[in-house]
Amino acid sequence: MHYGYARVPPPHQETALQLEALKSAGITTIFQEKASSVGSRPQLRKCLATLKKGDVLVIYKLDRIARSLKDLLAIIDQVEQAGAQIKSLTEPLDTTTPMGAFVLQILGAVAQLERSITRQRSIAGQVSAVKRGVVFGRPKAITADQEQLAQQLLKEGMTRAAVARQLGVNWVVVGRVWEEMH
């Protein structure tokens, strides 16, 4: 039996491309999920537990199944323990031969390198943005003047809830001001 596995990281990506390719390859049983590769990936675990001798796990691309070379090798080992094989639709993989297993490991290492480079670029972009003055996260709920007023009212003994009502903000915002004061 051939089983498919499709995964994309949340929240904005879709599995449509992978599903279309797997269905075009004749795969009818497909496990899919929107999950980070560092998460638990319950559908992958379910898929791997389903594999039996002679089955083939078909993936669209190697980086959809493993987060690192170590993770890939562990998945390959689990597939082989079940007596199954792995096939990629976009890479020349055949785990039944020594050369195929070697190519799989090389492709896994290349995928890991690609993820590492992408992560480094992302971090460098964030650092550059911070240096240019870009502020990440939600904007502050209160202005500097409102913050000073909140501090003054809190020092005078007004409760956080009362200050929040007066400023028209959530009490959590005033709680943060109070924490900064102490």
Side-chain angles (χ1 to χ4, degrees), residues 46-182:
K46 186 176 176 183
C47 177
L48 293 173
T50 303
L51 296 174
K52 296 179 289 305
K53 185 174 178 132
D55 288 344
V56 177
L57 172 57
V58 182
I59 55 176
Y60 177 72
K61 194 173 179 187
L62 196 56
D63 66 357
R64 300 295 87 204
I65 197 169
R67 64 179 134 249
S68 65
L69 181 57
K70 181 180 177 182
D71 187 39
L72 175 64
L73 295 175
I75 291 169
I76 292 169
D77 186 53
Q78 191 171 351
V79 170
E80 288 176 349
Q81 291 291 325
Q85 301 168 3
I86 296 179
K87 178 181 178 185
S88 169
L89 297 177
T90 59
E91 296 135 340
L93 301 180
D94 178 3
T95 60
T96 62
T97 67
M99 186 57 81
F102 174 70
V103 168
L104 182 65
Q105 291 180 17
I106 289 176
L107 289 174
V110 170
Q112 183 175 345
L113 174 64
E114 183 180 348
R115 280 190 299 276
S116 295
I117 290 171
T118 300
R119 186 169 186 272
Q120 284 179 338
R121 286 180 183 152
S122 177
I123 290 170
Q126 291 171 356
V127 167
S128 174
V130 168
K131 286 180 181 176
R132 290 190 318 272
V134 174
V135 178
F136 292 96
R138 294 177 62 180
K140 283 195 163 201
I142 58 175
T143 65
D145 290 341
Q146 288 175 313
E147 188 170 344
Q148 285 179 345
L149 176 59
Q151 289 174 353
Q152 178 185 343
L153 295 172
L154 289 168
K155 285 178 187 174
E156 292 173 0
M158 188 179 268
T159 66
R160 287 177 258 179
V163 173
R165 280 192 299 276
Q166 183 170 336
L167 294 176
V169 296
N170 189 296
W171 67 271
V172 174
V173 173
V174 177
R176 287 190 193 115
V177 171
W178 184 81
E179 287 176 6
E180 288 176 10
M181 293 170 50
H182 292 90

